[in-house]
Amino acid sequence: MTAAEGTNEYGLWARAVEGDAAAFGEIFDLHRDRVFGHALRALASRHDAEDVTAIAFLELWRHRRRVRVVNGSIIGWLLVTTNNVCRNQARSARRYRLALAKVSPDQATPDPSDAAAAGIDRARGAPEVREVFAQLSPRDQDILTLCVLEELTTAEAAVALRIPIGTVKSRLYRAKNRMAELMLQAAPDAQEGWSL
């Protein structure tokens, strides 16, 4: 984002905070693709990613007076919120599957969508990364999202997460190491070529 775009976004956001729906619509247009892309990476389901995107922007509107602006942009807050919503979505899906297993003793017929989803994941070639990312703590997921996936600077991540820059650097270092260790456990023969 250029300085001019950041300044423009800051003005839009100031209007949105005061309840200007048109300005909020422009903020939505500005960031929806990035939020949707991040949700899709995390969940691997277009439908779920669309739901997460909608919820993240609803939360943005609800908490607009408390959102932290970093370098004229709210993207850091949106991405961390997207991570939180993805985690909630995953917990909800897990509870739903457990409830279904208790209600329906007939497990003889497998769900064809499970096989289709597994095939899509194999075709993408990165289900292990998604699974490993889901094993990380929320703190590690947030720091990797901001600094690695979305390429925010450590200073921008520090402001978005409300922690010192030194803490961002140490958390990022530890999160990368934990991710690498989990990746090695998931596929020990494929360790060449991995770098975070």
Side-chain angles (χ1 to χ4, degrees):
M1 174 179 299
T2 66
E5 290 170 327
T7 304
N8 185 32
E9 181 183 343
Y10 188 80
L12 283 172
W13 183 243
R15 290 183 9 232
V17 167
E18 296 306 316
D20 184 336
F24 188 82
E26 290 184 51
I27 291 287
F28 176 80
D29 291 341
L30 185 63
H31 293 303
R32 93 172 146 237
D33 292 340
R34 203 161 167 191
V35 169
F36 174 78
H38 180 61
L40 186 60
R41 276 193 304 268
L43 299 172
S45 162
R46 283 189 77 75
H47 176 74
D48 290 344
E50 288 168 356
D51 288 348
V52 166
T53 301
I55 293 168
F57 279 97
L58 175 63
E59 290 300 303
L60 177 66
W61 178 256
R62 287 181 55 231
H63 299 288
R64 65 188 180 276
R65 297 200 183 279
R66 293 182 288 178
V67 171
R68 179 157 287 194
V69 178
V70 179
N71 288 343
S73 180
I74 56 161
I75 191 63
W77 189 93
L78 268 171
L79 294 171
V80 169
T81 300
T82 300
N83 275 348
N84 292 335
V85 174
C86 286
R87 285 189 285 270
N88 289 342
Q89 193 95 342
R91 277 192 297 272
S92 178
R94 193 170 36 254
R95 284 192 302 266
Y96 178 73
R97 284 190 304 273
L98 289 171
L100 279 181
K102 289 178 183 176
V103 171
S104 173
D106 180 22
Q107 297 294 325
T109 309
D111 184 351
S113 66
D114 290 340
I120 290 168
D121 281 346
R122 279 192 302 280
R124 281 196 184 118
E128 300 85 18
V129 174
R130 189 176 307 101
E131 292 164 8
V132 167
F133 189 81
Q135 292 176 35
L136 294 172
S137 70
R139 213 163 62 171
D140 288 347
Q141 289 177 6
D142 290 345
I143 204 78
L144 289 173
T145 295
L146 295 177
C147 295
V148 177
L149 296 175
E150 294 297 330
E151 300 178 349
L152 269 65
T153 66
T154 52
E156 291 168 335
V159 174
L161 295 170
R162 299 175 186 213
I163 58 177
I165 291 175
T167 304
V168 169
K169 290 177 182 179
S170 62
R171 283 186 188 174
L172 180 59
Y173 175 79
R174 287 192 300 267
K176 284 180 176 182
N177 284 339
R178 276 191 283 271
M179 181 83 174
E181 288 170 9
L182 290 170
M183 290 295 289
L184 283 173
Q185 291 171 7
D189 56 333
Q191 55 186 294
E192 289 183 28
W194 285 346
S195 65
L196 287 178

